[in-house]
Amino acid sequence: MPSHKISNMSKVTVVGAGAVGATCADDIAQKELCNEVILVDIKEGLSEGKALDIWQVAPINLFDTRIKGSTNDYAMTAGSDVVVITSGLPRKPGMSRDDLISINAGIVKSVTENIVKYSPDAIIIVVSNPLDVMTYQAFLSAGLPSTKVFGMAGILDTARYRAFLADALHCSPKDISAMILGGHGDTMVPLPRYTTVSGIPVTELIDKATLDAIVERTKVGGGEIVKLLGTSAWYAPGTAAAQMVEAILRDQKRILPVCAWLQGEYGLKDIYMGAPVKLGRNGIEQIIELQLNDEEKELLSVSAKAVREVMNVLDGMLASAN
Ligand code: NAD
């Protein structure tokens, strides 16, 4: 007897209907990456309003991915294949970094617990900052394998690096391929040795001083936008998270920089940090270890130290709460 079950129905939840979450949900819907998107926020009416606005783009831009909003009702998220967590507060004047860690960790914890209650098989992508440590919090709260809990930062950071290079070289950003390792912050490690323009090593096309300046600008690329806007970026971050959703749902096996739980790779253990991974329907299907030179190894170890310090703050908070 023929089955009437639609076997490839797919559903994505985006938690946080702020700037990044709404941009991500919009991109997912417009690219028809799944059948249904649920946008969740704690602020009454925000997700419903943004979802309605995005849905009203459908007749103009011609897509049929359904999008619905939910004020903290996680029952609506049930059976999600992928969940993107963007909920969290930005740092406000007078707030210490530790305050921010504590508040956002609390938000990420409760959101993750709600998500896995209704979608025990979901793959979770964390976007909330401080990214590496919020991904760690989601991993602790989800009880899922680390292949299914990871963070978005590297796609954004490499996109910034590639955009700056495209400007400097007066060429299409499409042709620039690059890799960045490490934590999502000023210690990130852009890798000029692994940067090419249509296969040509970037070092053959650009002088060292210009390349060094682009690397430094990339490291503070988020701060550059905060200075201009008074708040952090959302178009590129939201789109970057949607690219990860696409790689997973379409089982593309893309090689992308992702904040992953390292278990010995790069000589690092029990730490979430950016590294190249293969992303497919099972989440992280492989972590790729590059052959680094001594200078790159040193930069990565500085970055790992910075991430570890923030992880220790969170571990300390969790220990004192128990
Ligand atoms: P935003 O303030 O516009 O949106 C955050 C939303 O989260 C708000 O609408 C808020 O109501 C919601 N929220 C708060 N607590 C919640 C909860 N318990 N449940 C559900 N929703 C809740 O902020 P934004 O600009 O969209 O940024 C979101 C997060 O992403 C921030 O932490 C930001 O630092 C981070 N970010 C990360 C990257 C990255 O590369 N990983 C890039 C940009 C921004």
Side-chain angles (χ1 to χ4, degrees):
M1 211 171 122
S3 161
H4 294 290
K5 185 168 173 279
I6 300 171
S7 59
N8 57 355
M9 279 288 289
S10 50
K11 177 169 175 176
V12 175
T13 288
V14 179
V15 185
V20 176
T23 304
C24 179
D26 180 48
D27 199 49
I28 292 168
Q30 298 235 19
K31 289 181 178 154
E32 297 183 315
L33 300 184
C34 58
N35 302 88
E36 188 179 20
V37 177
I38 305 294
L39 188 57
V40 182
D41 203 282
I42 202 167
K43 194 171 167 205
E44 187 77 41
L46 183 71
S47 58
E48 290 86 344
K50 291 212 180 173
L52 194 57
D53 191 12
I54 293 169
W55 177 234
Q56 290 167 0
V57 178
I60 304 168
N61 277 0
L62 304 181
F63 60 85
D64 54 25
T65 293
R66 287 317 203 249
I67 174 156
K68 292 181 195 134
S70 153
T71 301
N72 237 17
D73 174 9
Y74 282 84
M76 283 179 68
T77 71
S80 293
D81 298 281
V82 182
V83 177
V84 183
I85 299 179
T86 76
S87 47
L89 294 193
R91 191 153 146 186
K92 293 184 182 145
M95 194 188 266
S96 74
R97 194 190 61 170
D98 289 4
D99 289 341
L100 185 72
I101 296 167
S102 156
I103 293 167
N104 282 355
I107 291 173
V108 169
K109 178 175 188 291
S110 74
V111 164
T112 306
E113 286 167 356
N114 279 317
I115 285 300
V116 293
K117 188 166 151 198
Y118 289 97
S119 303
D121 297 323
I123 290 174
I124 297 177
I125 302 169
V126 180
V127 180
S128 312
N129 272 324
L131 186 271
D132 307 277
V133 179
M134 289 308 111
T135 309
Y136 174 52
Q137 173 66 73
F139 174 56
L140 294 177
S141 305
L144 292 171
S146 58
T147 50
K148 296 182 83 179
V149 185
F150 38 88
M152 188 296 293
I155 296 176
L156 171 66
D157 296 328
T158 48
R160 286 176 172 153
Y161 178 47
R162 290 159 65 205
F164 297 149
L165 284 168
D167 277 344
L169 292 164
H170 305 290
C171 75
S172 168
K174 289 179 186 173
D175 292 328
I176 299 176
S177 175
M179 188 47 64
I180 292 185
L181 299 178
H184 180 51
D186 303 354
T187 62
M188 71 179 73
V189 188
L191 294 173
R193 278 198 323 122
Y194 289 95
T195 306
T196 60
V197 184
S198 283
I200 307 162
V202 74
T203 44
E204 292 184 16
L205 300 174
I206 201 165
D207 63 274
K208 186 172 180 317
T210 309
L211 187 54
D212 287 349
I214 288 173
V215 163
E216 290 313 309
R217 187 177 175 195
T218 302
K219 291 184 187 177
V220 293
E224 180 178 356
I225 291 190
V226 171
K227 270 191 208 143
L228 291 166
L229 296 179
T231 184
S232 55
W234 59 89
Y235 293 114
T239 311
Q243 183 173 65
M244 292 172 70
V245 172
E246 179 173 21
I248 296 163
L249 289 178
R250 295 194 168 147
D251 195 22
Q252 290 173 323
K253 320 278 189 207
R254 292 207 60 186
I255 310 295
L256 296 166
V258 164
C259 173
W261 184 240
L262 300 183
Q263 286 296 295
E265 298 87 357
Y266 299 95
L268 297 164
K269 198 166 184 317
D270 295 343
I271 187 168
Y272 265 104
M273 282 223 322
V277 311
K278 186 188 283 179
L279 262 197
R281 193 61 190 84
N282 300 312
I284 292 183
E285 299 185 357
Q286 187 188 349
I287 297 178
I288 295 160
E289 216 169 336
L290 305 174
Q291 296 305 311
L292 302 182
N293 63 27
D294 288 346
E295 188 190 347
E296 291 156 348
K297 279 184 195 159
E298 175 56 26
L299 290 169
L300 190 62
S301 111
V302 170
S303 190
K305 194 163 165 272
V307 172
R308 189 79 73 188
E309 275 171 19
V310 190
M311 271 179 82
N312 289 343
V313 173
L314 180 66
D315 281 335
M317 286 171 184
L318 296 175
S320 62
N322 287 332

